[in-house]
Amino acid sequence: MNKQLGKRIVIGLMSLALVLGGYRAWQSYIRDPGGIGSADTEGMIAAIEYSNGGSRAVVIQRDGSVAESGNYRSGVNDREIVWQPDGNRIFFSSDRNPKDGFQIFRWKPGRDPEQLTSGSRSKSNLWFGPPGDPLANERALVTQGGFVQEFVPADKTTSQLLPPVEKNRSNTTEGGAGGQMDALYARLGSSFKEAKWTKDRNWILAVMSRESGEVLVLQNVKSSAQEPFKPPIAIAAGEKIDFDVSVTGDVVFSIYAFEFPVPEQVPKEFVKNGRAVPPYRHALMLFNPDRLQQEDMKPIAYSPDDQVAFRQPKFSPDGASILLLAGKRTPNSFLPTQLAIVPAQIGGASLKATVASGAIFEPAWFPDGMSIVFVKSEGGKRSIFRIGKDGGDLRNLTGTKGDFGSPSVSPQIKSTK
């Protein structure tokens, strides 16, 4: 009797679990039908194809064919294409609906893209993360109207994170506290360009645009009545700032044409004969936001002049290495000359490994960390190439099929491979 009763209890519990699981799946479907269901996208590369005065979201499939996104018309501009961290969907911003400006679209290859957001304010630079976070698929950061917003695809909603809004500020017991926070940000820049969470979502790292260039800002986002929001930290400034966050919690950033983050607060050691003297021209730096008070910035590379500059650093999937472009600063633009990998450590540039040479743009890692994808002009076309991290097995994936940019590899890796 006891055995039979035990079996009945187990079967009952399993049945209840199935019912609850089915109910939750149904609720999820009702809430967001387009977000339900998986897709096999391993090895696929999302990209933007340029033509006829516009740009279109496409996927380079495993057989080399190019799958175009549907519901596209000439002159529309798709841009800023990214994968959802599980690889099941592709997201991009687009002006496909002229009355809405640039809005967020979600695309499952094989189907037509669906518009997730609307409104008068354009949305740009969608980013899912931080790497490895259990909520990475469910929440993203996006810039809207010059502010940093949290975007929830399932709800198709956004909420402001930077500058911190009044309801999120625990230190606003006095009337002017909120305005003081806004004033601090206004002193650093005029609008936000892009943003990313750091590990455990303790911080948001963001680039702000300003009249003379860009500034990298760090803001704590874990607050309570006991530990309220602290003022933003101006990390670095330059003509251009590129940055990336690692699964380990580290942050890498490049300074292109150094500027002082707060011009009216130049450290005394950099003032000579009444003039501010920059410590270097270009740099590649490493730090961990959670240890910022205990550790200094870790210089990976410095350059005293425009003959050597750095752009677009990207952490390897394991966080041990950094992919970057090295080149020169010309009067009009950055001229890349090398695709390189350096260890994520102090002085890592001394151990630099050159992967490829030439005018290379927009590099990105494959999810296994063994290969790299990038854009390079060849035969009059902007082609997408794949290369091993050791510089071998170079392949032109798109040939003369079109002009492409912003390649991004599906995060999916099958455990059987």
Side-chain angles (χ1 to χ4, degrees):
M1 288 290 293
N2 288 338
K3 289 184 178 180
Q4 290 180 348
L5 179 62
K7 287 181 180 180
R8 289 173 182 172
I9 292 174
V10 170
I11 292 172
L13 290 174
M14 291 177 65
S15 299
L16 180 61
L18 287 171
V19 170
L20 289 175
Y23 175 76
R24 288 171 182 165
W26 174 249
Q27 288 293 97
S28 297
Y29 177 80
I30 293 297
R31 180 185 179 197
D32 183 25
I36 303 300
S38 61
D40 179 11
T41 65
E42 184 188 20
M44 294 184 182
I45 299 171
I48 299 295
E49 182 177 14
Y50 301 96
S51 62
N52 300 323
S55 52
R56 184 175 190 171
V58 300
V59 164
I60 292 88
Q61 302 189 98
R62 288 184 287 265
D63 62 2
S65 61
V66 178
E68 300 174 332
S69 55
N71 283 343
Y72 179 85
R73 67 182 186 279
S74 179
V76 161
N77 294 282
D78 297 343
R79 64 186 190 185
E80 298 159 356
I81 193 164
V82 297
W83 288 92
Q84 189 170 291
D86 60 12
N88 287 324
R89 300 292 186 275
I90 296 168
F91 287 73
F92 58 90
S93 60
S94 179
D95 59 354
R96 293 184 177 213
N97 191 341
K99 68 180 181 66
D100 284 342
F102 281 90
Q103 297 297 330
I104 302 301
F105 287 73
R106 179 173 59 191
W107 178 31
K108 181 179 180 180
R111 299 181 181 177
D112 290 336
E114 56 178 324
Q115 183 174 336
L116 297 187
T117 62
S118 60
S120 58
R121 291 186 172 183
S122 292
K123 298 167 183 64
S124 303
N125 287 310
L126 183 73
W127 183 81
F128 289 95
D133 190 279
L135 293 176
N137 288 303
E138 302 173 19
R139 299 176 184 272
L141 293 180
V142 66
T143 56
Q144 173 181 302
F147 302 97
V148 175
Q149 306 271 336
E150 182 178 56
F151 172 56
V152 181
D155 293 336
K156 304 174 179 61
T157 58
T158 60
S159 57
Q160 184 172 319
L161 294 181
L162 294 183
V165 294
E166 197 73 27
K167 66 178 180 179
N168 292 332
R169 294 169 176 154
S170 301
N171 61 339
T172 53
T173 53
E174 298 183 7
Q180 291 173 8
M181 182 70 82
D182 293 336
L184 286 171
Y185 273 99
R187 189 179 181 187
L188 296 174
S190 57
S191 64
F192 288 92
K193 176 185 173 185
E194 63 175 317
K196 296 180 180 180
W197 277 295
T198 64
K199 187 179 181 182
D200 300 324
R201 298 175 187 253
N202 291 326
W203 305 83
I204 291 180
L205 199 66
V207 171
M208 296 189 73
S209 299
R210 62 186 190 181
E211 186 176 351
S212 63
E214 298 175 349
V215 59
L216 185 64
V217 176
L218 183 67
Q219 174 68 62
N220 76 309
V221 287
K222 295 287 187 181
S223 67
S224 64
Q226 293 73 35
E227 188 176 355
F229 280 112
K230 298 177 182 177
I233 302 171
I235 298 295
E239 184 178 313
K240 292 290 182 183
I241 299 289
D242 301 322
F243 74 100
D244 194 21
V245 298
S246 168
V247 67
T248 66
D250 288 336
V251 172
V252 63
F253 64 91
S254 60
I255 302 174
Y256 180 75
F258 175 93
E259 296 176 4
F260 288 100
V262 184
E264 59 270 28
Q265 294 181 0
V266 178
K268 292 181 179 180
E269 61 266 32
F270 299 120
V271 178
K272 297 182 180 180
N273 299 322
R275 295 183 58 186
V277 180
Y280 47 80
R281 184 60 169 162
H282 309 282
L284 189 66
M285 307 290 287
L286 183 73
F287 78 104
N288 189 302
D290 292 322
R291 298 196 294 268
L292 189 58
Q293 301 302 318
Q294 294 80 35
E295 299 177 352
D296 294 330
M297 297 282 176
K298 301 174 182 178
I300 298 174
Y302 287 133
S303 172
D305 54 45
D306 287 341
Q307 293 304 302
V308 178
F310 318 100
R311 293 293 308 273
Q312 300 178 13
K314 301 286 178 61
F315 276 110
S316 59
D318 62 3
S321 303
I322 298 166
L323 180 69
L324 68 124
L325 297 178
K328 300 179 180 180
R329 181 180 182 271
T330 71
N332 299 316
S333 63
F334 172 67
L335 177 62
T337 57
Q338 288 184 348
L339 177 65
I341 296 176
V342 299
Q345 64 186 49
I346 295 176
S350 64
L351 301 173
K352 180 187 74 172
T354 299
V355 180
S357 300
I360 293 169
F361 302 90
E362 301 167 343
W365 290 94
F366 272 74
D368 61 2
M370 300 304 294
S371 299
I372 298 158
V373 64
F374 60 87
V375 174
K376 184 178 181 181
S377 293
E378 187 163 288
K381 297 288 186 181
R382 282 172 51 95
S383 300
I384 294 177
F385 287 77
R386 175 177 182 166
I387 194 171
K389 70 174 186 178
D390 59 357
D393 195 24
L394 176 65
R395 285 180 271 170
N396 186 335
L397 301 180
T398 57
T400 59
K401 296 173 183 176
D403 290 298
F404 299 92
S406 304
S408 176
V409 187
S410 168
Q412 291 185 358
I413 302 178
K414 291 182 179 177
S415 60
T416 55
K417 290 191 175 182

